[in-house]
């Protein structure tokens, strides 16, 4: 797996250097869940080669490689890919990841086959969406703006289907992928906004800044006044109603509007 130095978010939207521990040691965010991953042997999982119509490629060596996850988790991945294709107009034929199931008996959802670390979406050998923040964060300002808009477009789609979505804002070990798992609500659960989830709130704030251009919003992880004002206005102007905290429908309306906004920008 990859290593090196990355950046980690600190309060107020600033950054600090931190060492990358690598996607083989992912961290999930399940403070409100009583569920714990039950480690499985790989023999209990089905061999898979694609997510929807996109073949699975191991990011480390660039080779088409099988991955292993539980059936319900695979179904959620496929549903997300359908959403992504429908709302973005992209047609990725390859998904690069650092894998799903890993051997172990710890607290990672990877050990139970209910997690995936997604690095890139590609079509015809070219990136259509790179989640490799570690590779492009030092590009020109214009290129970083473009990459961030696409990054948070992908993240919005993932948030529609997964409660646990960890980005480079969560910690430095996620600077080369977005981690998703089904730990908070379980397979088939319908994600909703949990206001005290710092990872979800930071994602909202980053979408406001990098997709919607609401530069007055800070990626603090706190659902503060500027964040509430911005998301309420976005909902009002783009087919939603009420506030982001009103329930699943408002949460989904904001995320879908964000995907479309990034597409049309």
């Amino acid at each position: 797996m990859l290593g090196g130095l990355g950046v980690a978010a600190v309060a107020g939207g600033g950054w600090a250097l931190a060492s990358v521990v690598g996607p083989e040691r992912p961290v999930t965010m399940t403070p409100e869940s009583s569920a714990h991953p039950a480690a499985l042997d790989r023999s209990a999982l089905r061999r898979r080669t694609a997510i929807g119509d996109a073949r699975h490629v191991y990011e480390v060596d660039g080779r088409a490689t099988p991955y292993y996850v539980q059936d319900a988790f695979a179904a959620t991945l496929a549903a997300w890919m359908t959403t992504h294709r429908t709302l973005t107009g992209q047609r990725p034929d390859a998904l690069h990841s650092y894998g799903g199931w890993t051997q172990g008996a710890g607290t990672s959802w990877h050990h139970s086959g209910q997690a995936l670390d997604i690095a890139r979406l590609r079509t015809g050998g070219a990136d259509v969406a790179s989640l490799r923040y570690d590779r492009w964060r030092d590009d020109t300002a214009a290129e970083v703006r473009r990459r961030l808009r696409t990054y948070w477009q992908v993240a919005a789609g993932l948030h529609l289907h997964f409660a646990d979505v960890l980005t480079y804002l969560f910690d430095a070990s996620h600077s080369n992928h977005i981690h998703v798992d089904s730990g908070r609500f379980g397979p088939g659960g319908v994600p909703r906004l949990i206001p005290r989830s710092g990872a979800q709130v930071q994602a909202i704030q980053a979408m406001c800044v990098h997709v919607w251009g609401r530069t007055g919003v800070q990626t603090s992880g706190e659902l503060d006044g500027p964040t509430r004002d911005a998301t309420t206005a976005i909902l009002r102007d783009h087919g939603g109603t009420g506030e982001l905290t009103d329930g699943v429908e408002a949460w989904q309306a904001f995320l879908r509007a964000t995907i479309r906004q990034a597409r049309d920008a």
Side-chain angles (χ1 to χ4, degrees), residues 8 24 36-37 43 71 78 81 85 102 105 129 146 156 162 176 193-194 221-222 224 250 254 259:
E24 74 275 15
H36 298 285
S43 62
D71 289 351
M81 181 60 76
R85 290 166 64 91
T102 58
R146 183 184 72 81
F162 300 94
N176 58 6
L193 173 62
I194 297 174
E222 299 291 332
D224 53 21
F254 172 79
I259 297 169

Side-chain angles (χ1 to χ4, degrees), residues 14-157:
W15 302 97
L17 284 174
S19 65
V20 174
V21 298
E24 74 275 15
R25 294 169 56 191
V27 182
T28 57
M29 52 165 203
T30 55
E32 298 193 5
S33 174
S34 59
H36 298 285
L40 297 175
D41 187 78
R42 195 178 75 175
S43 62
L45 303 170
R46 187 177 307 178
R47 180 181 185 274
R48 304 175 192 279
T49 59
I51 295 91
D53 294 329
R55 70 186 185 279
H56 179 261
V57 177
Y58 187 41
E59 174 68 1
V60 174
D61 60 18
R63 296 180 179 178
T65 305
Y67 70 103
Y68 298 83
V69 294
Q70 292 189 29
D71 289 351
F73 187 78
T76 304
L77 285 172
W80 159 68
M81 181 60 76
T82 297
T83 296
H84 180 84
R85 290 166 64 91
T86 300
L87 295 184
T88 67
Q90 297 174 1
R91 295 293 182 266
D93 57 28
L95 181 148
H96 286 229
S97 93
Y98 290 100
W101 173 89
T102 58
Q103 183 72 51
T107 58
S108 169
W109 292 96
H110 283 278
H111 301 330
S112 68
Q114 297 183 78
L116 192 72
D117 291 341
I118 304 169
R120 292 188 288 164
L121 299 177
R122 312 198 86 201
T123 298
D127 288 354
V128 292
S130 171
L131 310 181
R132 293 293 308 270
Y133 179 71
D134 61 323
R135 284 191 171 177
W136 46 259
R137 64 189 172 203
D138 295 323
D139 282 352
T140 65
E143 181 66 8
V144 171
R145 283 195 298 271
R146 183 184 72 81
R147 296 275 195 174
L148 283 169
R149 185 170 62 248
T150 303
Y151 181 103
W152 289 106
Q153 178 186 50
V154 174

